[in-house]
Protein backbone atom coordinates (compact mmCIF):
# COMPACT_ATOMS: atom_id res chain seq x y z
CA UNK A 1 0.00 0.00 0.00
CA UNK A 2 2.60 2.49 -1.10
CA UNK A 3 0.00 5.13 -1.80
CA UNK A 4 -0.72 5.36 1.92
CA UNK A 5 2.77 6.54 2.67
CA UNK A 6 2.49 9.77 0.75
CA UNK A 7 4.59 11.05 -2.11
CA UNK A 8 8.29 10.59 -1.79
CA UNK A 9 7.99 8.30 1.21
CA UNK A 10 10.50 5.48 1.41
CA UNK A 11 10.34 2.13 3.13
CA UNK A 12 9.95 2.10 6.90
CA UNK A 13 13.15 2.73 8.83
CA UNK A 14 13.45 -0.73 10.35
CA UNK A 15 13.08 -2.39 6.94
CA UNK A 16 15.56 -0.17 5.13
CA UNK A 17 17.43 -2.40 2.63
CA UNK A 18 21.10 -2.79 3.39
CA UNK A 19 20.87 -1.26 6.86
CA UNK A 20 21.05 -3.01 10.19
CA UNK A 21 17.84 -3.85 12.03
CA UNK A 22 16.60 -1.25 14.48
CA UNK A 23 17.77 -3.23 17.51
CA UNK A 24 21.34 -2.85 16.33
CA UNK A 25 21.19 0.91 16.53
CA UNK A 26 21.51 1.08 20.30
CA UNK A 27 25.24 0.45 20.72
CA UNK A 28 28.40 2.37 19.97
CA UNK A 29 28.73 3.36 16.30
CA UNK A 30 31.82 1.20 15.80
CA UNK A 31 30.02 -1.87 17.10
CA UNK A 32 27.05 -1.11 14.83
CA UNK A 33 29.43 -0.93 11.90
CA UNK A 34 30.77 -4.41 12.66
CA UNK A 35 27.28 -5.81 13.14
CA UNK A 36 26.15 -4.36 9.81
CA UNK A 37 29.29 -5.53 8.00
CA UNK A 38 29.98 -2.12 6.46
CA UNK A 39 32.91 0.29 6.61
CA UNK A 40 30.90 3.47 6.85
CA UNK A 41 29.26 4.63 10.04
CA UNK A 42 25.47 4.11 9.73
CA UNK A 43 24.76 6.94 12.18
CA UNK A 44 25.02 10.44 10.70
CA UNK A 45 27.48 12.69 12.50
CA UNK A 46 24.71 14.77 13.99
CA UNK A 47 23.03 11.73 15.53
CA UNK A 48 26.05 9.95 17.07
CA UNK A 49 26.09 10.28 20.79
CA UNK A 50 28.50 12.54 22.67
CA UNK A 51 29.67 11.07 26.01
CA UNK A 52 29.83 14.41 27.78
CA UNK A 53 29.16 13.30 31.38
CA UNK A 54 31.72 10.50 31.48
CA UNK A 55 34.33 12.59 29.67
CA UNK A 56 33.94 15.56 32.05
CA UNK A 57 34.07 13.33 35.13
CA UNK A 58 37.09 11.41 33.88
CA UNK A 59 38.99 14.55 32.90
CA UNK A 60 38.28 16.14 36.27
CA UNK A 61 39.41 12.97 38.05
CA UNK A 62 42.67 12.89 36.08
CA UNK A 63 43.42 16.56 36.77
CA UNK A 64 42.61 16.38 40.48
CA UNK A 65 44.30 13.02 40.98
CA UNK A 66 47.45 14.19 39.21
CA UNK A 67 47.50 17.22 41.51
CA UNK A 68 47.60 14.94 44.55
CA UNK A 69 50.27 12.80 42.85
CA UNK A 70 52.32 15.96 42.26
CA UNK A 71 52.35 16.71 45.98
CA UNK A 72 53.22 13.10 46.84
CA UNK A 73 56.16 12.99 44.39
CA UNK A 74 57.68 16.38 45.15
CA UNK A 75 61.44 16.26 44.54
CA UNK A 76 61.22 12.99 42.62
CA UNK A 77 59.46 14.22 39.46
CA UNK A 78 59.02 17.54 37.68
CA UNK A 79 56.43 19.78 39.32
CA UNK A 80 53.12 19.88 37.51
CA UNK A 81 53.03 23.18 35.58
CA UNK A 82 50.50 24.63 33.08
CA UNK A 83 51.92 22.69 30.05
CA UNK A 84 51.58 19.49 32.06
CA UNK A 85 48.00 20.30 32.99
CA UNK A 86 47.28 21.02 29.33
CA UNK A 87 48.55 17.53 28.41
CA UNK A 88 46.33 16.03 31.11
CA UNK A 89 43.34 18.01 29.87
CA UNK A 90 43.98 17.02 26.22
CA UNK A 91 44.31 13.32 27.08
CA UNK A 92 40.94 13.46 28.86
CA UNK A 93 39.11 15.74 26.43
CA UNK A 94 40.00 13.52 23.48
CA UNK A 95 37.70 10.86 24.95
CA UNK A 96 34.74 12.94 23.86
CA UNK A 97 35.28 11.56 20.32
CA UNK A 98 36.03 7.98 21.41
CA UNK A 99 32.86 6.44 19.89
CA UNK A 100 33.16 8.40 16.65
CA UNK A 101 36.90 7.96 15.99
CA UNK A 102 38.15 5.26 18.38
CA UNK A 103 41.53 4.67 16.70
CA UNK A 104 42.40 8.36 16.38
CA UNK A 105 41.41 9.00 20.01
CA UNK A 106 43.48 6.05 21.21
CA UNK A 107 46.55 7.23 19.28
CA UNK A 108 46.04 10.77 20.57
CA UNK A 109 45.81 9.70 24.20
CA UNK A 110 48.87 7.46 23.86
CA UNK A 111 50.85 10.35 22.35
CA UNK A 112 49.70 12.76 25.09
CA UNK A 113 50.60 10.30 27.83
CA UNK A 114 54.06 9.62 26.35
CA UNK A 115 54.73 13.36 26.11
CA UNK A 116 53.56 13.74 29.71
CA UNK A 117 55.84 10.96 30.96
CA UNK A 118 58.73 12.12 28.75
CA UNK A 119 58.50 15.60 30.31
CA UNK A 120 59.10 14.04 33.72
CA UNK A 121 55.75 14.91 35.24
CA UNK A 122 54.55 12.79 38.18
CA UNK A 123 52.95 9.43 37.67
CA UNK A 124 49.24 9.36 38.40
CA UNK A 125 45.83 8.54 36.94
CA UNK A 126 46.79 9.79 33.47
CA UNK A 127 47.02 6.19 32.26
CA UNK A 128 43.28 5.88 32.93
CA UNK A 129 42.57 7.87 29.76
CA UNK A 130 44.54 5.33 27.71
CA UNK A 131 42.63 2.50 29.39
CA UNK A 132 39.25 4.01 28.45
CA UNK A 133 40.36 4.74 24.87
CA UNK A 134 41.75 1.21 24.47
CA UNK A 135 38.57 -0.36 25.83
CA UNK A 136 36.45 1.67 23.42
CA UNK A 137 38.62 0.77 20.43
CA UNK A 138 38.47 -2.96 21.15
CA UNK A 139 34.70 -2.95 21.78
CA UNK A 140 34.24 -0.95 18.56
CA UNK A 141 35.98 -3.72 16.63
CA UNK A 142 39.37 -2.03 16.13
CA UNK A 143 41.25 -4.82 17.86
CA UNK A 144 44.51 -4.75 15.92
CA UNK A 145 44.80 -0.98 16.17
CA UNK A 146 44.28 -1.23 19.94
CA UNK A 147 46.95 -3.90 20.31
CA UNK A 148 49.37 -1.86 18.20
CA UNK A 149 48.70 1.32 20.21
CA UNK A 150 49.25 -0.45 23.52
CA UNK A 151 52.45 -1.95 22.15
CA UNK A 152 53.57 1.52 21.13
CA UNK A 153 52.77 2.82 24.62
CA UNK A 154 54.86 0.11 26.27
CA UNK A 155 57.73 0.56 23.78
CA UNK A 156 57.65 4.34 24.25
CA UNK A 157 57.72 3.99 28.02
CA UNK A 158 60.61 1.53 27.72
CA UNK A 159 62.52 3.96 25.52
CA UNK A 160 61.92 6.89 27.92
CA UNK A 161 62.94 5.18 31.16
CA UNK A 162 65.85 3.10 29.82
CA UNK A 163 67.39 5.11 26.96
CA UNK A 164 66.28 8.74 26.87
CA UNK A 165 66.18 9.33 30.62
CA UNK A 166 69.72 10.78 30.46
CA UNK A 167 68.53 13.74 28.39
CA UNK A 168 65.02 14.10 29.74
CA UNK A 169 63.87 15.74 32.98
CA UNK A 170 64.16 15.36 35.86
CA UNK A 171 67.94 15.73 35.79
CA UNK A 172 69.98 13.10 37.54
CA UNK A 173 67.28 10.52 37.18
CA UNK A 174 68.30 6.85 36.97
CA UNK A 175 66.96 4.12 34.71
CA UNK A 176 63.77 2.53 35.97
CA UNK A 177 63.99 -1.03 37.29
CA UNK A 178 62.90 -3.79 34.92
CA UNK A 179 60.26 -4.91 37.37
CA UNK A 180 58.47 -1.66 36.56
CA UNK A 181 58.40 -2.63 32.89
CA UNK A 182 56.95 -6.00 33.80
CA UNK A 183 54.19 -4.22 35.73
CA UNK A 184 53.45 -1.90 32.78
CA UNK A 185 53.38 -4.83 30.32
CA UNK A 186 51.12 -6.84 32.63
CA UNK A 187 48.77 -3.87 32.99
CA UNK A 188 48.58 -3.45 29.20
CA UNK A 189 47.90 -7.15 28.57
CA UNK A 190 45.27 -7.29 31.32
CA UNK A 191 43.56 -4.21 29.89
CA UNK A 192 43.46 -5.74 26.43
CA UNK A 193 42.18 -9.04 27.82
CA UNK A 194 39.34 -7.34 29.68
CA UNK A 195 38.47 -5.33 26.59
CA UNK A 196 38.42 -8.45 24.42
CA UNK A 197 36.18 -10.19 26.94
CA UNK A 198 33.77 -7.25 26.86
CA UNK A 199 33.78 -7.30 23.05
CA UNK A 200 33.03 -11.03 22.94
CA UNK A 201 30.24 -10.70 25.50
CA UNK A 202 28.70 -7.79 23.61
CA UNK A 203 28.76 -9.65 20.30
CA UNK A 204 27.27 -12.69 22.02
CA UNK A 205 24.54 -10.48 23.47
CA UNK A 206 23.89 -9.08 19.99
CA UNK A 207 23.54 -12.57 18.52
CA UNK A 208 21.22 -13.66 21.32
CA UNK A 209 19.08 -10.58 20.85
CA UNK A 210 18.96 -11.20 17.10
CA UNK A 211 17.81 -14.77 17.72
CA UNK A 212 15.20 -13.54 20.19
CA UNK A 213 13.94 -10.99 17.64
CA UNK A 214 13.69 -13.68 14.96
CA UNK A 215 11.92 -16.02 17.39
CA UNK A 216 9.40 -13.34 18.33
CA UNK A 217 8.86 -12.55 14.65
CA UNK A 218 8.28 -16.24 13.89
CA UNK A 219 5.86 -16.57 16.80
CA UNK A 220 3.95 -13.50 15.66
CA UNK A 221 3.86 -14.80 12.10
CA UNK A 222 2.48 -18.15 13.29
CA UNK A 223 -0.09 -16.39 15.49
CA UNK A 224 -1.35 -14.30 12.58
CA UNK A 225 -1.37 -17.34 10.31
CA UNK A 226 -3.49 -19.23 12.84
CA UNK A 227 -5.93 -16.34 13.22
CA UNK A 228 -6.31 -15.89 9.47
CA UNK A 229 -6.70 -19.62 8.91
CA UNK A 230 -9.33 -20.00 11.62
CA UNK A 231 -11.32 -16.95 10.50
CA UNK A 232 -11.17 -17.67 6.77
CA UNK A 233 -11.59 -21.45 6.93
CA UNK A 234 -14.73 -21.22 9.03
CA UNK A 235 -16.27 -18.32 7.12
CA UNK A 236 -15.50 -19.68 3.68
CA UNK A 237 -16.87 -23.09 4.65
CA UNK A 238 -20.18 -21.52 5.66
CA UNK A 239 -20.19 -19.34 2.54
CA UNK A 240 -19.46 -22.37 0.36
CA UNK A 241 -22.35 -24.35 1.83
CA UNK A 242 -24.76 -21.41 1.54
CA UNK A 243 -23.65 -20.73 -2.04
CA UNK A 244 -24.43 -24.35 -2.91
CA UNK A 245 -27.86 -24.05 -1.28
CA UNK A 246 -28.54 -20.79 -3.11
CA UNK A 247 -27.59 -22.24 -6.49
CA UNK A 248 -29.69 -25.34 -5.91
CA UNK A 249 -32.79 -23.39 -4.89
CA UNK A 250 -32.38 -20.35 -7.15
CA UNK A 251 -35.14 -21.51 -9.54
CA UNK A 252 -37.33 -23.72 -7.32
CA UNK A 253 -37.35 -21.67 -4.10
CA UNK A 254 -36.15 -18.09 -4.69
CA UNK A 255 -37.03 -17.04 -1.14
CA UNK A 256 -34.78 -19.73 0.38
CA UNK A 257 -32.04 -18.77 -2.09
CA UNK A 258 -32.39 -15.16 -0.94
CA UNK A 259 -31.92 -16.31 2.67
CA UNK A 260 -28.76 -18.17 1.68
CA UNK A 261 -27.39 -15.09 -0.11
CA UNK A 262 -28.19 -12.96 2.95
CA UNK A 263 -26.23 -15.40 5.11
CA UNK A 264 -23.32 -15.22 2.65
CA UNK A 265 -23.32 -11.43 2.81
CA UNK A 266 -23.42 -11.34 6.61
CA UNK A 267 -20.73 -14.00 7.01
CA UNK A 268 -18.41 -12.38 4.47
CA UNK A 269 -18.80 -9.01 6.22
CA UNK A 270 -17.97 -10.59 9.56
CA UNK A 271 -14.94 -12.37 8.08
CA UNK A 272 -13.68 -9.14 6.53
CA UNK A 273 -13.99 -7.38 9.87
CA UNK A 274 -11.98 -10.06 11.69
CA UNK A 275 -9.33 -10.15 8.95
CA UNK A 276 -9.06 -6.36 9.12
CA UNK A 277 -8.55 -6.58 12.89
CA UNK A 278 -5.72 -9.07 12.40
CA UNK A 279 -4.09 -6.91 9.73
CA UNK A 280 -4.37 -3.83 11.94
CA UNK A 281 -1.96 -5.48 14.36
CA UNK A 282 0.60 -5.54 11.54
CA UNK A 283 0.16 -1.86 10.73
CA UNK A 284 0.30 -0.76 14.40
CA UNK A 285 2.24 -3.33 16.46
CA UNK A 286 1.41 -3.18 20.14
CA UNK A 287 -1.74 -1.08 19.64
CA UNK A 288 -4.83 -2.13 21.55
CA UNK A 289 -7.39 -3.97 19.40
CA UNK A 290 -10.48 -2.01 18.43
CA UNK A 291 -12.80 -4.88 19.31
CA UNK A 292 -12.42 -7.50 22.07
CA UNK A 293 -11.02 -10.89 21.12
CA UNK A 294 -13.68 -13.58 20.69
CA UNK A 295 -14.27 -16.10 23.46
CA UNK A 296 -16.61 -18.89 24.48
CA UNK A 297 -19.30 -16.30 25.18
CA UNK A 298 -19.74 -16.26 21.37
CA UNK A 299 -20.40 -20.00 21.25
CA UNK A 300 -24.11 -19.43 20.43
CA UNK A 301 -22.98 -17.55 17.29
CA UNK A 302 -20.93 -20.57 16.22
CA UNK A 303 -23.92 -22.82 16.79
CA UNK A 304 -26.09 -20.51 14.69
CA UNK A 305 -23.53 -20.31 11.90
CA UNK A 306 -23.12 -24.09 11.89
CA UNK A 307 -26.91 -24.44 11.69
CA UNK A 308 -26.96 -22.16 8.63
CA UNK A 309 -24.46 -24.58 7.05
CA UNK A 310 -26.75 -27.54 7.79
CA UNK A 311 -24.99 -28.75 10.95
CA UNK A 312 -26.87 -29.30 14.22
CA UNK A 313 -24.68 -28.60 17.24
CA UNK A 314 -25.53 -29.64 20.78
CA UNK A 315 -23.67 -27.84 23.57
CA UNK A 316 -23.33 -29.45 27.00
CA UNK A 317 -21.95 -27.58 30.00
CA UNK A 318 -21.28 -23.90 30.63
CA UNK A 319 -17.92 -22.25 30.02
CA UNK A 320 -16.13 -21.14 33.21
CA UNK A 321 -14.45 -17.76 33.64
CA UNK A 322 -11.26 -17.90 31.60
CA UNK A 323 -8.26 -15.66 31.06
CA UNK A 324 -8.30 -13.78 27.71
CA UNK A 325 -5.65 -16.02 26.15
CA UNK A 326 -7.34 -19.27 27.18
CA UNK A 327 -10.77 -17.95 26.18
CA UNK A 328 -9.60 -17.05 22.68
CA UNK A 329 -7.82 -20.40 22.24
CA UNK A 330 -10.90 -22.34 23.39
CA UNK A 331 -13.16 -20.42 20.98
CA UNK A 332 -10.81 -20.96 18.02
CA UNK A 333 -10.45 -24.67 18.81
CA UNK A 334 -14.23 -25.20 18.88
CA UNK A 335 -14.59 -23.07 15.73
CA UNK A 336 -11.96 -25.09 13.85
CA UNK A 337 -13.42 -28.41 15.05
CA UNK A 338 -16.92 -27.45 13.82
CA UNK A 339 -15.46 -26.19 10.54
CA UNK A 340 -13.82 -29.57 10.02
CA UNK A 341 -17.14 -31.31 10.65
CA UNK A 342 -18.82 -29.12 8.03
CA UNK A 343 -16.07 -29.69 5.49
CA UNK A 344 -14.95 -33.26 6.08
CA UNK A 345 -17.72 -35.21 7.83
CA UNK A 346 -20.77 -36.89 6.42
CA UNK A 347 -22.55 -36.37 9.73
CA UNK A 348 -24.86 -33.38 10.14
CA UNK A 349 -24.72 -33.48 13.91
CA UNK A 350 -21.95 -32.50 16.34
CA UNK A 351 -21.65 -32.32 20.10
CA UNK A 352 -19.63 -29.86 22.14
CA UNK A 353 -18.99 -30.76 25.76
CA UNK A 354 -17.48 -28.17 28.14
CA UNK A 355 -16.26 -29.21 31.57
CA UNK A 356 -13.99 -27.73 34.23
CA UNK A 357 -11.65 -30.14 35.96
CA UNK A 358 -9.73 -28.51 38.79
CA UNK A 359 -7.60 -25.82 37.09
CA UNK A 360 -8.11 -27.08 33.54
CA UNK A 361 -10.82 -26.72 30.92
CA UNK A 362 -11.86 -29.87 29.06
CA UNK A 363 -13.33 -29.31 25.58
CA UNK A 364 -14.74 -32.23 23.66
CA UNK A 365 -16.10 -31.94 20.10
CA UNK A 366 -17.60 -35.13 18.59
CA UNK A 367 -19.27 -36.07 15.33
CA UNK A 368 -20.50 -39.43 14.14
CA UNK A 369 -18.88 -39.38 10.69
CA UNK A 370 -18.20 -40.95 8.31
CA UNK A 371 -15.32 -38.91 6.86
CA UNK A 372 -15.60 -37.59 3.33
CA UNK A 373 -12.99 -36.07 1.01
CA UNK A 374 -9.36 -36.90 0.46
CA UNK A 375 -8.12 -34.83 3.41
CA UNK A 376 -10.80 -35.84 5.87
CA UNK A 377 -8.25 -37.37 8.19
CA UNK A 378 -7.34 -33.97 9.59
CA UNK A 379 -3.75 -33.58 8.44
CA UNK A 380 -4.08 -29.98 7.31
CA UNK A 381 -3.16 -26.72 8.97
CA UNK A 382 -6.31 -26.60 11.07
CA UNK A 383 -5.29 -29.35 13.47
CA UNK A 384 -1.72 -28.05 13.51
CA UNK A 385 -3.03 -24.62 14.48
CA UNK A 386 -5.14 -26.08 17.27
CA UNK A 387 -2.14 -27.95 18.67
CA UNK A 388 -0.02 -24.79 18.50
CA UNK A 389 -2.66 -22.80 20.37
CA UNK A 390 -2.94 -25.42 23.10
CA UNK A 391 0.83 -25.83 23.41
CA UNK A 392 1.33 -22.06 23.70
CA UNK A 393 -0.90 -22.10 26.81
CA UNK A 394 0.58 -25.27 28.30
CA UNK A 395 -2.36 -27.44 27.21
CA UNK A 396 -2.80 -30.47 24.96
CA UNK A 397 -4.90 -31.50 21.96
CA UNK A 398 -5.92 -35.03 20.97
CA UNK A 399 -7.65 -35.44 17.63
CA UNK A 400 -8.44 -38.60 15.72
CA UNK A 401 -10.97 -41.09 14.45
CA UNK A 402 -13.18 -42.82 16.99
CA UNK A 403 -13.58 -46.62 16.97
CA UNK A 404 -17.20 -46.26 15.81
CA UNK A 405 -16.15 -44.22 12.77
CA UNK A 406 -16.72 -40.69 14.04
CA UNK A 407 -14.11 -38.02 14.76
CA UNK A 408 -13.19 -36.52 18.12
CA UNK A 409 -11.25 -33.45 19.21
CA UNK A 410 -10.28 -33.34 22.89
CA UNK A 411 -8.60 -30.22 24.28
CA UNK A 412 -7.26 -29.71 27.78
CA UNK A 413 -6.43 -26.06 28.49
CA UNK A 414 -5.33 -24.32 31.69
CA UNK A 415 -7.95 -21.98 33.12
CA UNK A 416 -5.30 -19.27 33.46
CA UNK A 417 -2.89 -19.13 30.53
CA UNK A 418 0.84 -18.56 31.01
CA UNK A 419 0.64 -15.51 28.75
CA UNK A 420 -1.84 -13.79 31.09
CA UNK A 421 -0.04 -14.41 34.37
Amino acid sequence: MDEQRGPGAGPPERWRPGGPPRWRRHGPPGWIRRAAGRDEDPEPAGRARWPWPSTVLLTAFVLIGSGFADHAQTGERVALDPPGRVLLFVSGALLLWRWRHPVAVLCGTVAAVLLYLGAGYPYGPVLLTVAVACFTAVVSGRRYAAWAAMGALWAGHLLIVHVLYRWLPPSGDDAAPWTEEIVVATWAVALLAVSELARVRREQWARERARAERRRADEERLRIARELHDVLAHSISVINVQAGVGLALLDSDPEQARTALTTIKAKSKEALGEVRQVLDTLRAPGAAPRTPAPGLDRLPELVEQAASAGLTVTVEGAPPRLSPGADLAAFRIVQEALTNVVRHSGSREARVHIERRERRLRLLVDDDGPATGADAGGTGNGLAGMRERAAALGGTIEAGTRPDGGFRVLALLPIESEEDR
Side-chain angles (χ1 to χ4, degrees), residues 50 58 61 105 116 150-151 175 177 208 228 273 330 379:
W50 291 90
L58 188 61
F61 177 79
V105 169
Y116 177 88
M150 296 305 294
E208 291 175 355
L228 290 176
T379 58

Side-chain angles (χ1 to χ4, degrees), residues 67-140:
F68 285 107
D70 181 37
H71 290 293
Q73 301 175 36
T74 301
E76 299 178 7
R77 305 290 293 174
V78 175
L80 195 59
D81 53 12
R85 297 184 187 278
V86 169
L87 287 174
L88 292 174
F89 177 80
V90 169
S91 66
L94 283 174
L95 297 177
L96 187 61
W97 288 269
R98 64 183 182 269
W99 290 122
R100 292 167 175 260
H101 309 288
V103 176
V105 169
L106 177 58
C107 294
T109 54
V110 168
V113 168
L114 288 178
L115 287 175
Y116 177 88
L117 297 177
Y121 293 118
Y123 293 101
V126 64
L127 291 176
L128 186 60
T129 60
V130 177
V132 173
C134 176
F135 180 87
T136 303
V138 173
V139 171
S140 299

Side-chain angles (χ1 to χ4, degrees), residues 15 20-26 31 34-36 201-219:
W15 298 114
R22 179 170 292 179
W23 64 265
R24 288 184 174 176
R25 297 184 183 272
H26 296 288
W31 173 48
R34 282 178 53 80
R201 290 295 299 271
R202 181 166 290 196
E203 291 180 354
Q204 181 181 4
W205 172 79
R207 289 192 295 268
E208 291 175 355
R209 186 165 182 178
R211 286 195 291 267
E213 290 288 339
R214 288 194 295 268
R215 183 172 61 252
R216 282 194 290 269
D218 290 341
E219 291 172 355

